[in-house]
């Protein structure tokens, strides 16, 4: 079978690696950017790093023992992804700088036709979306945004050619990326104005860099790190359902303690969340709160009214002149594969199929799109995505092997199966109190349905995905 994979991030890498090992060598990975790595290639802002410990952020088949510190930074993670792709023969199957513009299902021929920006066309029996959640940056709708005459870019598309020294900078957004880059750009900027809509729970982390002697010991015997990995995984599995009230209370205690370093009580109050821990994505930083003790960082909580040719104006009429605006406004996290123009059976687009919110069975297959599989699809966000991607890949491979062994031309999850599964998932989500609080999070589709989060443990996903009930699929 021929396979087209969209995206050369961690999902595309592990899928390519496993396809080769299982004898599926007729595949291409179509990547819009210039390299493998996905989000770790595109997000290159100052201070960018993972919020999952490095011991847990390695593929199980390629454990890295010599991360320079407990939480790996972007350059190191990207280098790791490159090394894995090269070592396992995935890189030669990649076609870079060629974004997929459309994919359509041909019912008569039972193939997918995929086209790219370069005009290249591909046909394959199998289509795999590995575009993930954090792919397309979101720009806010603010009056006058197009009139700004200074520099402006999104944190996910950082302009390293821009000189920050002495500049007046407006940062719009205060979540994951801002928490990491604001303390860094403040060091050389003249003035930074951080425009915050909703405060976040931000916990400290144990992140002291390893010394060379420790790294050499890990290389010789990674047992301590493997034990740490097992411990991290166990704690993740226990805590990721947000059901342990004592753990939630402890997290809020740590979060409030971290806030105590902010000297100004008024600023500290504005940085204090009024929603429960876990309502939004929990964040980690040892530097963010301390940065607010510096004179050149201002926290602005008054809503933005408009942007002029040289300033950001808030509802109270205050006009802050800036030379640069950085948008730290996140991604279109609820779209998944719908960021690509994908058309399934009977000419139905995936956007229309998901008009009530993205849905899939086990986050992998969705009704109306035969021979189409997703990695990091709907309701798969939780825990360590590296581990979850490996489970999803093994699930897809089982389906492909069955198709090959039995000469199956088309495979698709049955509607009633996907419906029943999603009813169960949404019922579990409804039972997680913190995800149902009001906090302006990215988890919900426009109709209010939570489409990003996995409400169970990683172990539970492994159990559900590794044993396939073939009666749940329609085949021809």
């Amino acid at each position: 079978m021929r396979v087209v994979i969209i995206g050369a991030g961690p999902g595309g890498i592990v899928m390519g690696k496993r396809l080769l090992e299982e004898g599926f060598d007729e595949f291409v990975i179509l990547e819009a950017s210039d390299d493998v790595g996905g989000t770790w290639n595109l997000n290159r802002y100052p201070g960018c790093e993972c919020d999952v410990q490095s011991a847990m952020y390695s593929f199980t088949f390629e454990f890295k023992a010599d991360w320079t510190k407990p939480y790996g930074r972007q350059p190191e993670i990207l280098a790791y992804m490159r090394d894995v792709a090269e070592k396992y023969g995935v890189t030669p199957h990649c076609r870079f700088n060629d974004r997929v513009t459309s994919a359509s299902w041909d019912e008569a021929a039972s193939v997918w036709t995929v086209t790219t920006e370069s005009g290249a066309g591909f046909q394959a029996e199998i289509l795999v979306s590995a575009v993930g959640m954090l792919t397309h940056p979101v720009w806010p709708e603010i009056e006058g945004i197009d009139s700004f005459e200074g520099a402006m870019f999104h944190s996910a598309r950082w302009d390293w050619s821009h000189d920050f020294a002495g500049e007046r900078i407006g940062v719009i957004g205060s979540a994951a990326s801002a928490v990491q880059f604001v303390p860094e750009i403040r060091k050389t900027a003249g003035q930074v104005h951080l425009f915050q809509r909703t405060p976040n729970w931000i916990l400290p982390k144990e992140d002291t860099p390893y010394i060379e002697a420790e790294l050499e010991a890990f290389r010789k015997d990674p047992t301590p790190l493997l034990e740490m990995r097992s411990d991290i995984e166990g704690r993740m599995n226990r805590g990721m359902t947000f059901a342990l009230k004592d753990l939630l209370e402890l997290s809020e205690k740590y979060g409030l303690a971290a806030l105590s370093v902010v000297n100004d009580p008024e600023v500290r109050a504005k940085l204090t969340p009024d929603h429960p821990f876990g309502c939004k994505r929990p964040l980690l930083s040892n530097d963010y709160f301390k940065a607010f003790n510096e004179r050149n960082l201002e926290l602005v909580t008054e809503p933005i009214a408009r942007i002029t040719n040289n300033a950001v104006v808030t509802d109270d009429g205050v006009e802050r002149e800036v030379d640069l605006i950085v948008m730290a406004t996140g991604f279109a996290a609820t779209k998944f594969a719908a960021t690509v123009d994908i058309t399934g059976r009977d000419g139905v687009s995936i956007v229309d199929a998901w008009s009530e919110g993205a849905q899939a069975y086990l986050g992998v297959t969705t009704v109306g799109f035969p021979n189409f599989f997703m990695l990091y699809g709907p309701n798969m966000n939780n825990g360590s995505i590296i581990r979850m991607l490996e489970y999803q890949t093994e699930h897809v491979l089982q389906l492909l092997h069955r198709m090959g062994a039995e000469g199956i031309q088309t495979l698709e999850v049955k509607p009633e199966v996907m419906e029943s599964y999603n009813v169960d998932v949404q019922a579990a989500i409804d039972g997680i109190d913190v995800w149902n609080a009001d906090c302006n999070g990215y988890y919900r589709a426009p109709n209010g349905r939570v489409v990003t989060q996995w409400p169970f443990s990683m172990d539970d996903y492994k159990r559900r995905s590794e044993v396939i009930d073939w009666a749940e699929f329609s085949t021809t």
Side-chain angles (χ1 to χ4, degrees):
M1 289 179 284
R2 297 167 297 176
V3 181
V4 168
I5 301 170
I6 307 174
I13 291 171
V14 69
M15 176 57 75
K17 182 257 188 188
R18 290 293 291 122
L19 284 173
L20 287 171
E21 289 178 337
E22 297 297 313
F24 299 93
D25 57 2
E26 290 192 49
F27 70 91
V28 62
I29 302 177
L30 302 176
E31 170 57 45
S33 70
D34 62 353
D35 204 348
V36 300
T39 191
W40 298 111
N41 182 39
L42 295 172
N43 286 269
R44 301 189 178 204
Y45 55 80
C48 181
E49 62 184 29
C50 191
D51 54 9
V52 172
Q53 292 98 317
S54 300
M56 191 67 191
Y57 209 77
S58 299
F59 295 115
T60 57
F61 55 82
E62 189 64 30
F63 182 73
K64 178 177 169 63
D66 57 352
W67 296 97
T68 56
K69 64 189 192 73
Y71 290 81
R73 288 213 159 184
Q74 176 270 333
E76 197 170 10
I77 299 172
L78 178 57
Y80 169 75
M81 294 294 169
R82 287 171 173 162
D83 290 344
V84 171
E86 189 67 34
K87 178 177 179 178
Y88 292 96
V90 175
T91 307
H93 288 265
C94 295
R95 182 184 175 102
F96 298 115
N97 296 309
D98 207 4
R99 182 184 302 277
V100 172
T101 55
S102 67
S104 59
W105 173 250
D106 185 329
E107 186 74 22
S110 296
V111 297
W112 284 94
T113 299
V114 181
T115 57
T116 65
E117 282 184 344
S118 70
F122 303 85
Q123 285 196 326
E125 286 73 29
I126 306 298
L127 178 64
V128 177
S129 169
V131 299
M133 271 177 48
L134 309 180
T135 302
H136 286 256
V138 168
W139 285 73
E141 295 182 3
I142 301 174
E143 179 185 339
I145 190 172
D146 293 331
S147 68
F148 185 67
E149 296 176 356
M152 182 188 298
F153 53 81
H154 197 282
S155 61
R157 302 294 184 267
W158 199 266
D159 182 2
W160 278 95
S161 67
H162 191 91
D163 185 2
F164 292 84
E167 285 207 328
R168 302 164 299 176
I169 305 172
V171 177
I172 298 178
S174 60
S177 59
V179 164
Q180 294 182 344
F181 76 72
V182 165
E184 298 297 318
I185 65 172
R186 184 215 57 77
K187 295 174 183 177
T188 56
Q191 178 68 44
V192 178
H193 306 284
L194 176 64
F195 295 88
Q196 171 190 281
R197 181 177 64 173
T198 309
N200 293 276
W201 284 104
I202 305 171
L203 274 57
K205 56 184 177 179
E206 297 181 9
D207 199 28
T208 303
Y210 298 117
I211 62 174
E212 184 55 38
E214 290 176 304
L215 294 175
E216 185 60 31
F218 292 153
R219 294 184 191 107
K220 291 180 179 178
D221 181 13
T223 302
L225 285 180
L226 291 169
E227 291 175 348
M228 180 192 299
R229 178 191 184 107
S230 178
D231 178 63
I232 293 169
E233 185 171 6
R235 285 188 281 114
M236 273 189 177
N237 278 314
R238 289 192 298 273
M240 61 193 283
T241 61
F242 293 90
L244 303 177
K245 294 189 181 300
D246 56 341
L247 183 58
L248 294 175
E249 292 172 358
L250 185 62
S251 297
E252 292 193 2
K253 178 181 177 181
Y254 283 136
L256 293 173
L259 273 163
S260 66
V261 303
V262 180
N263 295 330
D264 187 323
E266 184 177 344
V267 173
R268 188 165 62 246
K270 291 179 179 179
L271 289 167
T272 302
D274 60 0
H275 54 80
F277 179 85
C279 181
K280 300 179 70 174
R281 171 182 171 180
L283 306 176
L284 302 172
S285 177
N286 295 329
D287 304 317
Y288 183 67
F289 289 139
K290 290 188 292 186
F292 288 96
N293 294 329
E294 305 297 333
R295 296 180 62 183
N296 69 336
L297 176 59
E298 179 195 18
L299 178 67
V300 183
T301 57
E302 189 74 17
I304 295 173
R306 65 186 183 279
I307 293 174
T308 68
N309 66 321
N310 67 344
V312 179
V313 183
T314 46
D315 280 354
D316 56 5
V318 176
E319 184 172 330
R320 293 172 174 84
E321 293 188 359
V322 292
D323 307 299
L324 164 69
I325 296 176
V326 180
M327 296 296 179
T329 44
F331 301 86
T334 62
K335 290 188 175 181
F336 304 97
T339 56
V340 179
D341 180 12
I342 299 176
T343 304
R345 181 180 285 116
D346 300 324
V348 176
S349 74
I350 200 163
V351 172
D352 290 338
W354 286 352
S355 60
E356 297 300 314
Q359 296 186 51
Y361 176 57
L362 292 171
V364 174
T365 53
T366 191
V367 172
F369 296 81
N371 297 6
F372 174 58
F373 308 105
M374 292 171 284
L375 305 177
Y376 204 177
N379 291 111
M380 285 291 100
N381 186 52
N382 210 344
S384 171
I385 191 56
I386 295 294
R387 178 58 57 86
M388 294 288 277
L389 285 170
E390 291 193 54
Y391 295 152
Q392 291 157 36
T393 297
E394 295 307 312
H395 179 75
V396 173
L397 283 169
Q398 282 198 66
L399 298 175
L400 297 187
H401 275 302
R402 181 69 172 265
M403 292 178 70
E406 299 186 5
I408 295 171
Q409 288 189 309
T410 66
L411 181 144
E412 180 184 354
V413 65
K414 293 179 179 178
E416 64 272 18
V417 172
M418 190 175 83
E419 173 65 20
S420 176
Y421 166 82
N422 278 277
V423 167
D424 289 345
V425 167
Q426 292 302 315
I429 288 172
D430 289 344
I432 298 177
D433 293 340
V434 297
W435 288 354
N436 291 283
D438 184 13
C439 59
N440 294 318
Y442 65 69
Y443 299 164
R444 296 183 182 275
N447 68 346
R449 181 190 183 95
V450 173
V451 297
T452 62
Q453 301 307 96
W454 172 247
F456 307 107
S457 71
M458 293 183 292
D459 283 346
D460 192 64
Y461 185 82
K462 180 177 185 294
R463 178 184 60 79
R464 291 177 181 226
S465 63
E466 66 183 357
V467 178
I468 296 177
D469 180 355
W470 295 101
E472 295 178 334
F473 295 90
S474 298
T475 59
T476 59

